[in-house]
Each structure stands twice: as C-alpha cells, then as structure tokens.
Amino acid sequence: MSLFLETDLVAYGRWPVATDQLETQADEDAHSVSDRSWGLTALRPQEPRMYGGNFPWVNAQYRLKVDGGFSPYQWLNGLASRLLSMQDIIFKADGSFCRPDDPSPLFPLKGLTLHWRYDVSRRRMYIDFWRGSELLPWRWDELEASEELRFPSVVPDWRGIGHAGSKTFTYTFLSAEAKDD
C-alpha cells in the first residue's frame, strides 16, 4: 500500500476528460488500466465499488515491499510506508486494512482512507483512495496475484502498480507466512 504526502496528492488535481473521450468511455472501461496507452495514465473504470469480500487472502498477514529505484515516487512511497509502520498489514473482509497486532482499522489516517476491492472478471485487486467522502479519481493501486504460491503459504503474493496522476510506481505485498527465498 503506498501513500503520498498530501502536497503530492493535491498537486495532480482531477483527471481531464475531453468530450470526445466521453463517447468511448464505455468501451475503454472494458480494459484494464494498465492496457491503455494514453499520454496520461488513463481514466480508470467506473464500475460499482463493492469493497472487501470472502477471499483466501482475507485476514492473512502481508509484508509490503516497495521496489527500489531512483524514481522520487519509489523513494517517497518506501519512506512513507516505513514512517507509517505499514510494512505488515492484513486485508479485512470489509475492504479495510489493519495491522497484525491491532484489529482496529488502519484508516482513516490524516483524512485519507483506503479500501480494497477485487474484480473477478479482470482478476485484479484495486485499492481506492478516499479523502473524506470523495473518491480521489487520480490515485489508485492495481494489484495482480502471483501465479504460484510460495511454500507454505496458501495465499498469493500481489504485485502492485500505484497510480498517482500520470506517474506510476511498483511494489509487492508478500505473504508473511511464506518462506523467504
């Protein structure tokens, strides 16, 4: 789970939507956000949002590993996850998150709330970012489950792409139950 400082979040504003894009929005919504090749990271699908669910990864402990790199976004997200003690988290059935040692919801935090949802047709998990009651349409994470499980874990690892305006960064949620390679 990645976080940006509030000043970074506000700087991107809302997605621009040209009138010629509105007619093709329904067709575009049928594709994954990572499949699009627009100048900016494309508008994300506007399907109904049902958070959480009863999946094998619910209540399993995960370790967040922000990928290294020279990108300022990679560096900021790694720092933010350490400062907020978010290296170990649990996906809750209601779409919220908590820490392994504390069952209370991890969010809201500084006015920001994150919820996860799983899209069965796309086989992807999405993490939506909310400020109060407003969905932040320019900020979301898209995660894909690993094809194979790591012994002795019974839940997948997740490879994530964080979207913040036109910028992206990568990270991984690793099953804490699995043996490190």
Side-chain angles (χ1 to χ4, degrees):
M1 162 170 356
S2 49
L3 294 176
F4 277 70
L5 302 175
E6 184 171 346
T7 53
D8 297 319
L9 293 170
V10 173
Y12 286 98
R14 292 190 172 272
W15 285 112
V17 178
T19 53
D20 60 338
Q21 290 175 337
L22 294 175
E23 295 172 355
T24 61
Q25 185 67 40
D27 293 335
E28 290 294 327
D29 285 349
H31 302 288
S32 168
V33 290
S34 61
D35 294 337
R36 299 183 185 157
S37 59
W38 298 9
L40 291 175
T41 304
L43 295 169
R44 70 174 151 170
Q46 296 301 315
E47 68 274 352
R49 289 179 166 74
M50 304 265 308
Y51 293 105
N54 186 15
F55 297 97
W57 56 85
V58 168
N59 294 323
Q61 184 175 340
Y62 280 90
R63 285 211 172 88
L64 173 63
K65 179 180 173 266
V66 177
D67 295 344
F70 297 108
S71 160
Y73 292 98
Q74 296 291 138
W75 185 83
L76 271 175
N77 278 291
L79 177 64
S81 70
R82 285 188 294 280
L83 288 175
L84 298 171
S85 300
M86 292 177 48
Q87 288 90 7
D88 293 311
I89 67 153
I90 292 174
F91 294 89
K92 302 291 287 180
D94 64 359
S96 66
F97 302 88
C98 72
R99 292 186 177 100
D101 58 349
D102 183 1
S104 61
L106 187 56
F107 297 97
L109 186 63
K110 304 270 185 190
L112 191 65
T113 302
L114 279 63
H115 293 287
W116 69 269
R117 58 191 168 88
Y118 186 71
D119 185 321
V120 175
S121 64
R122 292 187 181 116
R123 298 177 52 180
R124 287 195 175 22
M125 183 188 310
Y126 294 93
I127 298 175
D128 291 328
F129 288 66
W130 294 78
R131 172 138 333 266
S133 62
E134 180 184 354
L135 176 67
L136 301 177
W138 48 268
R139 181 66 183 95
W140 80 98
D141 291 357
E142 178 179 355
L143 297 98
E144 188 170 10
S146 59
E147 291 291 323
E148 296 186 20
L149 303 179
R150 293 182 304 131
F151 182 79
S153 180
V154 295
V155 297
D157 293 334
W158 294 90
R159 183 84 178 131
I161 299 173
H163 299 265
S166 63
K167 307 294 184 190
T168 61
F169 51 91
T170 57
Y171 63 94
T172 309
F173 279 121
L174 298 170
S175 169
E177 193 178 302
K179 292 183 180 181
D180 291 327
D181 295 331

